[in-house]
Amino acid sequence: MTSGLTLTSSTSAEAHSKKPRSVVSGNARFQVLSPTLIRTEYAANGKFTDADTFNVIGRDDFKPTAFTQRVSHGWLTIDTGAATLRYQVGSGAFTEDNLTVRLKTGKQTVTAAPWAGQGVPECVFGALCEAEDLALNGPSAANDHRDYTGHGFAAGFEGTGASATFAVAPATAGAQQLTVRYANSTGGDGQNVTRTLTVTVDGVAAGTLSLPPTGNWDTWALASVPLTLTAGRHEVSLLRTATDSGNVNVDSLAVVAPGAAYPAPVTPGPQPCAFGTPCEADSGVLANGGKLADDHNGYSGDGFLAGLERTGAGSALTVTGVPAPGTYQVQLRYANAQAGDQPIQDRTIAVTANDGPAVTATLPPTSGWDYWRTQSVLVSLKAGTNTVSLGCPSDQACHVNVDTVAVTAKRAPLLAPHAPLGGYRRGLDGVNGGARTFAGLLFQDGWSLLDDSTTAHPDGYVFAYGQNYRHALDELSTLTGPTELLPKWTYGVWYSEYYDRTAAEFESIVSRFKSEGVPLDSLVVDTDFKSPDRWNGWEIDPSRFPDWTAFATWLRKQGVHTGLNIHPSILGSDPHFAQAQQIAKGKLKRTGCNGGADCYVFDFGDADQLQAYFWLHDQMGADGVDFWWLDWCCDASQGLDSHINQAYADKTGFAFSRAYGSLQAGGYGNPSAVTGGPWADKRTTLHFTGDAISNWETLRFEVGYTPGESAATGLAAISHDIGGHTNGLQEPGTEPGSTKLPDDLYARWVQMGTFQPIDRLHSNHSDRLPWQYGPAANASAKKFLNLRKKLQPYTYAAAAEATRTGTPIVRAMYLAYPNEQEAYATAGSQYLYGPDLLVAPVTTPGTTATTTVWFPPGNTWTDYFTGKRYAGGTTASVTTTLDTMPVFVRSGAKKP
């Protein structure tokens, strides 16, 4: 053991206090929590963190772990048996060069650099830096406008505290200039005005960027601010403070000499591909329309190879290090889904090595553009360096996206890239068939970093789970706290509709549920009950609910629980405003909202404003309410959504919340992740995913979204609007001002809801009651809502298992079958519901539909409705009418 390196043994005071064993190397500390979980912490001042953080509350709850440690040739090595961590002694804060972790993922050996790309990126003085590559806190990397450079831009700056940060190190002290390329048009607040952002240097305000309007969001302009920098490294941020207006997009920036021309962007050149390594398919020489794209999910790197739509389109990669002449695998990770109006079908791609003959790779469909399969073809290669080309043999052939290419030995295992499995976002507001998600815990090559850093204190947890994804979720549950187990009644049937109703009308609906033989466990009252303003009021309107307590008591006697909709804002004209502002010590901010300009919002990170907020709840006199529905969040909370969720959970047992994942307070337009992540919210929150579009495409997206969010975050309690919320496919409804869905879409969405964590019928003035539909859809909905009630004990048991073990209610196929490529390829069309039910919801129109189902190996699968059996390890086409859907029971399990 060398100087500066200490090991706290299991017999020390640290072990007796149940703290994990530590290895300290200078200002770096490594705590081995388990064989597959190591904390990596760097404190420049030598002061490490032992107290809980907002996310991490259970690092002392792991069993003691045996490991070895040694120092050789300047490197510290910690070996747990499952993972080997190496750190260069004395090399400072963690980087991709000084810290690696080696692990086994299936038959693949993976060497990870967990801190690569973390922290603040360096921008070379005088060179252009792409804004989407900066350290973003609030803004998201987007590409939904034209004429940007790089692969996108930093979008939003929509909430106080939103920032983009980089480091720059001038060689000499003196006057400098920061120039940004930006777009500024009509924002989400409806204004088209000059915007501002504050520039900080090392945390201190150094100037204000004034950003006049540009022609539109596709038009970019330059703006500059002078800086005075000393020689050496500085961290520079574009920050929206409380006095800035933000709401801009930033494409790129540069620190240059005063008056210098704005530097040109640098187009990355082709990169070589090392033998035996997954390489980005887009990193070769692109030809004839082949291009880098990132408009789908689940890819590794910066994107994937797209544009394979005509003869000759493709990519040529230079493969190095081929050991000898012979036959080798070319492994392709690809997605093949609906291409325009063409039918879903097998596609082909030509693989050519050097000047040899093309080999055709046949690529069967995957369950969507967000879902990938890896398969290989054999080619002949020479020793050393080879050119391997991918191309379209005809205009009709390709129409696939290719993520990675790996050239390996003939019998080598299929290699997994560092590609996220599943993902999460604030919600599905406005989602019309698909949306970008953000990576969570799981990656296909078996490792990830949970970054719990403060600004100056890198602190991250390296998960090295290999293919044991369920074990990773279990360890996440221990480290950050388990997913919330809700009351048993929440796993029944909910009814909720944004439609102005009185107490008497709700009582009539509840009675109709009973007379129609349809179960009902929860009734949610939407915003129109409020007074004096239907959106922002803090009283119950007596014209709609003359006696709220009597109404709530009547509901309880019917076995129905209830919740009330809340928007976290108040009008200045509200009779409770003066007292609320006094409790908040004058800190409520007038921002404008749905009620007009005279509207104030709450910062839930401020204790006084939080107290005022819940005081308003108490003024409603909502006796007997079981929960509050936080239907909007969090305009002034600076990304601290989790604080309000914890506060609601303290009040009613759980939060039913649109606020999720510590996401930026950017509203509908910017559901992007901030550094806090979703880890604390899963301890408190039933995630309401928001206002999705009512069409087949969105239904199809939700099939894969629920298991994907659960796998990424460990959250089990996810609630969609069953039937979607608004727009899409709407027909005249049965009530004044209402619409309805096509009968087949309604019936199929209700079927899917039966096998979701929460089954909540909801809409925006659109019929969701079975008897509002035709005979076949009515009968189908009643059948499946009753099945939901029958499954309630099974669902609750699965929820309890999720709390106990981290394995969610709705389980992505790869959680149970990580070594099966079909588990990844079909993750968008089917999932396991609890331990024993395989569910493949119908997502195509018509009263009859045929659904392709993959039956995992190791079991026989029996149709829940017909009793027909299917052998494991096979794929079949299953045809159903509106009275059934593809649901199958695992052999050996009792039919629930």
Coordinates of all heavy atoms in Angstrom, one line a residue, residues 9 41 173 186 204 248 250 254 286 310 346 378 387 403 413 485 501 509 597-598 662 665 670 706 745 791 843 875:
S9 N -11.0 -1.2 7.0 CA -11.4 -2.6 7.1 C -12.7 -2.9 7.7 O -13.3 -2.0 8.4 CB -10.3 -3.4 7.8 OG -10.4 -3.1 9.2
E41 N -16.1 8.8 -5.6 CA -16.3 10.2 -5.0 C -14.9 10.9 -5.1 O -13.9 10.4 -4.7 CB -16.8 10.1 -3.6 CG -17.1 11.4 -3.0 CD -17.6 11.2 -1.5 OE1 -17.4 10.1 -1.0 OE2 -18.1 12.1 -0.9
A173 N -4.0 36.2 -19.7 CA -5.1 37.0 -19.1 C -5.4 38.2 -20.1 O -4.5 38.6 -20.8 CB -4.6 37.5 -17.8
T186 N -41.3 33.5 -31.3 CA -42.4 33.5 -30.4 C -42.3 32.3 -29.5 O -42.3 31.1 -29.9 CB -43.8 33.4 -31.1 OG1 -43.8 34.6 -32.0 CG2 -44.9 33.5 -30.1
V204 N -19.8 33.5 -10.8 CA -20.0 35.0 -10.5 C -20.5 35.6 -11.8 O -20.0 35.4 -12.9 CB -18.7 35.7 -10.1 CG1 -18.9 37.1 -9.9 CG2 -18.2 35.0 -8.8
V248 N -35.0 30.8 -25.3 CA -34.3 30.9 -26.6 C -33.7 29.5 -26.8 O -33.6 28.7 -26.0 CB -33.2 32.0 -26.5 CG1 -33.7 33.4 -26.4 CG2 -32.2 31.7 -25.3
V250 N -30.0 27.9 -28.3 CA -28.6 28.2 -28.5 C -28.0 27.1 -29.3 O -28.0 26.0 -28.9 CB -27.9 28.5 -27.2 CG1 -26.4 28.7 -27.5 CG2 -28.5 29.6 -26.4
A254 N -18.6 30.4 -28.7 CA -17.2 30.5 -28.8 C -16.6 31.6 -27.9 O -17.3 32.7 -27.9 CB -16.6 30.6 -30.2
L286 N -20.1 8.3 -45.2 CA -21.5 8.2 -45.6 C -21.7 8.5 -47.0 O -21.0 9.4 -47.6 CB -22.3 9.1 -44.7 CG -22.1 8.9 -43.2 CD1 -23.1 9.8 -42.4 CD2 -22.4 7.5 -42.8
R310 N -32.4 4.6 -50.7 CA -32.2 4.4 -52.2 C -31.0 3.7 -52.5 O -30.1 3.5 -51.6 CB -32.3 5.7 -52.9 CG -31.2 6.7 -52.5 CD -31.3 8.0 -53.3 NE -30.3 9.0 -53.0 CZ -30.4 10.0 -52.1 NH1 -31.5 10.0 -51.4 NH2 -29.4 10.8 -52.0
D346 N -39.7 -7.8 -43.8 CA -38.3 -8.0 -43.8 C -37.6 -7.0 -44.8 O -38.1 -6.7 -45.8 CB -37.9 -9.4 -44.3 CG -38.3 -10.5 -43.2 OD1 -38.8 -10.1 -42.2 OD2 -38.2 -11.7 -43.5
L378 N -21.7 -13.4 -42.4 CA -20.3 -13.8 -42.5 C -19.7 -13.2 -43.8 O -20.3 -13.2 -44.8 CB -20.2 -15.3 -42.6 CG -20.7 -16.1 -41.3 CD1 -20.5 -17.6 -41.5 CD2 -19.9 -15.6 -40.1
T387 N -12.0 -2.5 -45.5 CA -13.1 -1.7 -45.6 C -14.4 -2.5 -45.7 O -14.5 -3.4 -46.5 CB -13.0 -0.8 -46.9 OG1 -11.9 0.0 -46.9 CG2 -14.3 0.1 -47.1
D403 N -27.6 1.0 -36.0 CA -26.9 1.7 -34.8 C -25.5 1.5 -34.8 O -24.6 2.4 -34.8 CB -27.6 1.3 -33.5 CG -27.1 2.0 -32.3 OD1 -26.6 3.2 -32.5 OD2 -27.0 1.4 -31.2
P413 N -19.5 -14.1 -29.4 CA -20.9 -13.7 -29.0 C -21.3 -12.4 -29.6 O -20.4 -11.6 -30.0 CB -20.8 -13.5 -27.5 CG -19.3 -13.2 -27.2 CD -18.6 -14.0 -28.3
L485 N -45.4 1.7 -2.8 CA -46.5 0.7 -2.8 C -47.8 1.5 -2.5 O -47.9 2.1 -1.4 CB -46.3 -0.4 -1.9 CG -47.5 -1.4 -1.7 CD1 -47.7 -2.1 -3.1 CD2 -47.2 -2.4 -0.6
R501 N -68.9 18.9 -14.2 CA -70.0 18.1 -13.6 C -70.3 18.6 -12.2 O -69.4 19.0 -11.5 CB -69.7 16.6 -13.6 CG -69.4 16.0 -15.0 CD -69.4 14.5 -14.9 NE -68.8 13.9 -16.1 CZ -69.5 13.7 -17.2 NH1 -70.7 14.2 -17.4 NH2 -68.9 13.2 -18.3
I509 N -73.4 9.0 -12.3 CA -72.4 8.2 -13.0 C -72.0 7.0 -12.1 O -71.9 5.9 -12.6 CB -71.2 9.1 -13.4 CG1 -71.6 10.0 -14.6 CG2 -70.0 8.2 -13.9 CD1 -70.5 11.0 -14.9
A597 N -52.8 37.6 -16.5 CA -51.6 38.2 -16.0 C -51.5 38.2 -14.5 O -50.4 38.1 -13.9 CB -51.4 39.6 -16.6
D598 N -52.6 38.4 -13.8 CA -52.6 38.6 -12.3 C -52.6 37.2 -11.7 O -53.5 36.8 -10.9 CB -53.8 39.4 -11.9 CG -53.7 39.7 -10.4 OD1 -52.6 39.8 -9.9 OD2 -54.8 39.9 -9.8
S662 N -37.6 15.1 -11.3 CA -36.8 16.3 -11.0 C -36.6 17.0 -12.4 O -35.4 17.4 -12.7 CB -35.5 16.0 -10.4 OG -35.7 15.6 -9.1
A665 N -38.6 23.0 -14.9 CA -39.9 23.6 -14.9 C -40.1 24.3 -16.3 O -40.2 25.6 -16.3 CB -40.0 24.6 -13.8
N670 N -40.7 21.6 -22.9 CA -39.4 21.2 -22.6 C -39.4 20.2 -21.4 O -39.1 20.5 -20.3 CB -38.5 22.4 -22.2 CG -37.1 22.0 -21.9 OD1 -36.6 21.0 -22.4 ND2 -36.4 22.8 -21.1
T706 N -44.4 2.3 -20.9 CA -44.6 1.9 -19.5 C -43.5 1.0 -19.1 O -42.8 1.3 -18.1 CB -46.0 1.3 -19.3 OG1 -47.0 2.1 -19.7 CG2 -46.2 1.0 -17.8
L745 N -60.8 1.7 -31.3 CA -59.7 2.4 -30.6 C -60.0 2.4 -29.1 O -59.2 2.1 -28.2 CB -59.4 3.8 -31.1 CG -58.3 4.5 -30.4 CD1 -57.0 3.8 -30.5 CD2 -58.2 5.9 -31.0
L791 N -58.3 -9.1 -11.5 CA -56.8 -9.1 -11.4 C -56.2 -8.2 -10.3 O -55.0 -8.2 -10.0 CB -56.2 -8.6 -12.7 CG -56.3 -9.6 -13.9 CD1 -55.9 -8.8 -15.2 CD2 -55.6 -10.8 -13.7
T843 N -52.8 -2.9 -31.3 CA -52.6 -1.5 -31.6 C -52.9 -1.2 -33.1 O -52.4 -0.2 -33.6 CB -51.2 -1.1 -31.3 OG1 -50.3 -1.9 -32.0 CG2 -50.9 -1.2 -29.8
T875 N -42.6 -17.8 -32.6 CA -43.3 -16.6 -32.9 C -44.6 -17.0 -33.6 O -44.5 -17.8 -34.5 CB -42.5 -15.6 -33.7 OG1 -41.3 -15.2 -33.0 CG2 -43.3 -14.3 -34.0

